[in-house]
Amino acid sequence: MTETIKTDALIIGAGPVGLFAVFELGLLDIKCHLIDILPKIGGQCAELYPEKPIYDIPGFPVVTGQGLIDNLMKQIEPFGPTFHLGQMVESLESIGSAQAPLFRVTTDAGAVFEAKTVLIAAGGGSFQPKKPPIAGIDDYEGKSVFYAVRKMEEFRDRTILIVGGGDSALDWTLNLQPIAKRVILMHRRDEFRAAPHSVDQMRSLVADGKMDLILGQVMALKGEHGQLEAATIRAADNTTIDVACDRLLPFFGLTMKLGPIADWGLNLAENLIPVDTEKFETNVPGIFAIGDINAYPGKLKLILSGFHEGALAAQKVHRYVYPEKRLLFQYTTSSSSLQKKLGVA
Amino acid sequence: MTQITFIDAQGTARSVAAEDGATLMETAVRNAIPGIEAECGGACACATCHVYVDPAWQDRLPAPQTMEEDMLDFAFDVRPNSRLSCQIRIKAELDGLTVTTPERQA
């Protein structure tokens, strides 16, 4: 049985706002665990624009997305947060009371948490594979169309059509080719973003007649009861052909979806979580929402707003975690106790 | 001001005055043009501001850079005149540019 991880605060989302909340909570002696669906820390900053300059972080005339994340990681180091990456929170269930909240949280990787408070800092939601807008594709999903390879055995002796030109498409082409009946890689152009050595390997397999490469795009799927039989392709020369296949793996990058958050009993407004502007708490006592995912009058989706929201939420989190303690407002410039926590005193 | 025309997938045309220096995507968003999502806000990171450039204009625009070509791989129904509107900067020479938005962005 999986051991239940007990924590004062569980932060969902390891983007800039989730990371800075660790700092604000840490100053108040509240330890954190963070969960993120991405295999790395940094959320959109690291995934969408690591190299892009950001100009509106107070005190930084210019900083890149990755640069900001690296600095935040350094800033929160004294508080030793624990990260659980590459997993999505599936369920969140209240097992406490309004006065003494307690939440049981599980992830799709099997982790189980018992948290006194939950801070949702999930930005635009969780990054999930982008689905190609092909009519009727839903009927095939999970049966013969997959957006990720969970078990390679399911692809043994299959005719697999893999679509895309990045590392996911090329890696799975190379990994599945030895066990598949046939692998067909399809890409819209004869240039690939994937690592050059993977592309070379793929090209030599094609030259040896061990797999096929087609330049084109999938326009329609053919099959019955979710079982794929062929994909209709528009080739680069604008001709339309049917390619026989019984598995399709489209790799079109990631998009952000709200995901299971919608099922946690929180009030939602247009895929955002309404909060008050005193504590940034949701309609469920003990669950907070900070950063791009929340909504309140005057909300601006700026990283700096998320920092502020985390600082205020931390004050209320303290009252749940230490109901008997009085909270003393202190400055990091002058408080020796804060400086001790930061390891600088 | 530079005049830009957006035609949606149903064929409805909307002409707007664009500010020089803004991107085509920003012009669309500011004027509430339907069919441009621009999920990433112009970082060339999402391919949801995909447009088809009027073939008459295709060669009059600066050619796409590698980053834009790479990101177009994530768009759907990509054609030779496909572009990401966040990568096209408005200037006086583009007066009269016409683009069509795709049926779906993602």
Side-chain angles (χ1 to χ4, degrees):
Chain A
M1 209 186 126
T2 330
E3 201 185 328
T4 301
I5 300 165
K6 298 194 175 185
T7 181
D8 292 337
L10 182 66
I11 301 175
I12 301 172
V17 171
L19 294 179
F20 192 65
V22 172
F23 183 87
E24 290 295 335
L25 292 162
L27 289 181
L28 307 182
D29 298 315
I30 297 158
K31 290 275 182 206
C32 305
H33 282 253
L34 296 96
I35 303 173
D36 202 290
I37 192 166
L38 290 176
K40 60 185 166 202
I41 292 166
Q44 290 181 51
C45 285
E47 176 66 27
L48 290 184
Y49 50 89
E51 304 299 329
K52 290 268 168 183
I54 310 171
Y55 299 101
D56 60 354
I57 304 297
F60 288 93
V62 57
V63 62
T64 62
Q66 190 59 49
L68 177 65
I69 296 306
D70 293 346
N71 274 328
L72 283 164
M73 285 301 288
K74 202 173 164 195
Q75 196 166 17
I76 66 176
E77 206 183 301
F79 303 114
T82 312
F83 290 91
H84 307 266
L85 301 174
Q87 42 194 304
M88 182 173 77
V89 175
E90 271 185 339
S91 71
L92 188 160
E93 187 193 346
S94 176
I95 52 173
S97 64
Q99 291 71 39
L102 195 60
F103 302 95
R104 193 182 149 81
V105 175
T106 64
T107 75
D108 61 355
V112 183
F113 297 85
E114 246 178 55
K116 289 181 185 163
T117 58
V118 175
L119 290 92
I120 303 172
S126 52
F127 279 98
Q128 293 179 9
K130 207 186 256 188
K131 295 178 182 185
I134 300 168
I137 195 165
D138 300 6
D139 301 340
Y140 298 92
E141 284 170 2
K143 292 177 187 148
S144 54
V145 173
F146 298 89
Y147 299 102
V149 178
R150 297 269 185 221
K151 284 195 197 119
M152 280 178 63
E153 274 308 306
E154 285 170 9
F155 294 85
R156 183 176 290 278
D157 300 324
R158 298 290 184 180
T159 304
I160 312 165
L161 179 62
I162 298 178
V163 187
D167 282 315
S168 304
L170 268 284
D171 288 352
W172 285 116
T173 295
L174 299 176
N175 286 329
L176 293 173
Q177 187 274 332
I179 64 162
K181 186 174 171 192
R182 189 81 180 167
V183 168
I184 307 152
L185 175 66
M186 190 170 56
H187 186 43
R188 72 174 183 95
R189 57 187 176 132
D190 202 15
E191 276 170 67
F192 295 83
R193 303 183 310 281
H197 66 91
S198 313
V199 178
D200 292 346
Q201 252 179 292
M202 178 273 292
R203 289 203 194 276
S204 72
L205 285 171
V206 173
D208 294 345
K210 289 181 176 158
M211 61 164 284
D212 302 297
L213 170 65
I214 300 177
L215 299 184
Q217 298 172 71
V218 178
M219 304 310 286
L221 302 180
K222 288 182 177 170
E224 272 179 8
H225 311 297
Q227 294 309 323
L228 188 64
E229 284 157 25
T232 304
I233 311 272
R234 193 177 69 207
D237 59 5
N238 246 339
T239 55
T240 302
I241 46 164
D242 276 359
V243 173
C245 56
D246 52 13
R247 286 289 181 271
L248 173 67
L249 279 167
F251 292 109
F252 280 100
L254 302 172
T255 184
M256 286 171 284
K257 295 258 181 283
L258 192 61
I261 291 175
D263 309 323
W264 298 345
L266 299 171
N267 288 340
L268 293 176
E270 291 178 17
N271 279 344
L272 298 168
I273 306 172
V275 290
D276 65 71
T277 50
E278 179 196 348
K279 313 173 299 288
F280 299 91
E281 199 167 18
T282 67
N283 63 305
V284 179
I287 300 183
F288 301 79
I290 54 178
D292 284 0
I293 196 126
N294 74 14
Y296 54 84
K299 168 73 182 180
L300 287 179
K301 285 191 184 187
L302 292 177
I303 292 172
L304 72 91
S305 309
F307 290 166
H308 160 84
E309 294 159 15
L312 269 62
Q315 301 287 311
K316 178 67 186 203
V317 170
H318 182 271
R319 287 184 47 195
Y320 286 126
V321 175
Y322 300 111
E324 74 291 353
K325 277 194 204 168
R326 212 178 109 241
L327 189 56
L328 206 62
F329 181 70
Q330 302 175 89
Y331 293 104
T332 55
T333 40
S334 51
S335 156
S336 59
S337 94
L338 290 187
Q339 287 167 358
K340 212 166 159 189
K341 291 172 196 174
L342 290 165
V344 294
Chain B
M1 281 294 198
T2 306
Q3 205 69 23
I4 305 286
T5 302
F6 293 88
I7 302 173
D8 67 22
Q10 285 70 46
T12 307
R14 294 174 178 83
S15 288
V16 300
E19 198 177 311
D20 290 352
T23 66
L24 188 58
M25 178 278 282
E26 288 170 325
T27 306
V29 170
R30 277 177 207 167
N31 290 282
I33 299 292
I36 300 281
E37 286 177 18
E39 197 178 81
C40 79
C44 197
C46 73
T48 60
C49 66
H50 177 202
V51 295
Y52 302 114
V53 173
D54 182 329
W57 282 88
Q58 214 178 320
D59 297 331
R60 294 163 70 178
L61 295 174
Q65 295 190 350
T66 313
M67 183 174 69
E68 183 182 344
E69 279 289 356
D70 284 354
M71 200 42 63
L72 272 171
D73 288 348
F74 295 139
F76 299 99
D77 195 3
V78 178
R79 301 174 196 169
N81 58 334
S82 284
R83 294 297 300 264
L84 294 181
S85 57
C86 71
Q87 299 301 303
I88 297 172
R89 215 162 270 286
I90 303 294
K91 49 187 180 181
E93 295 92 295
L94 297 189
D95 190 38
L97 172 67
T98 300
V99 300
T100 303
T101 48
E103 209 169 308
R104 285 180 64 179
Q105 288 288 357

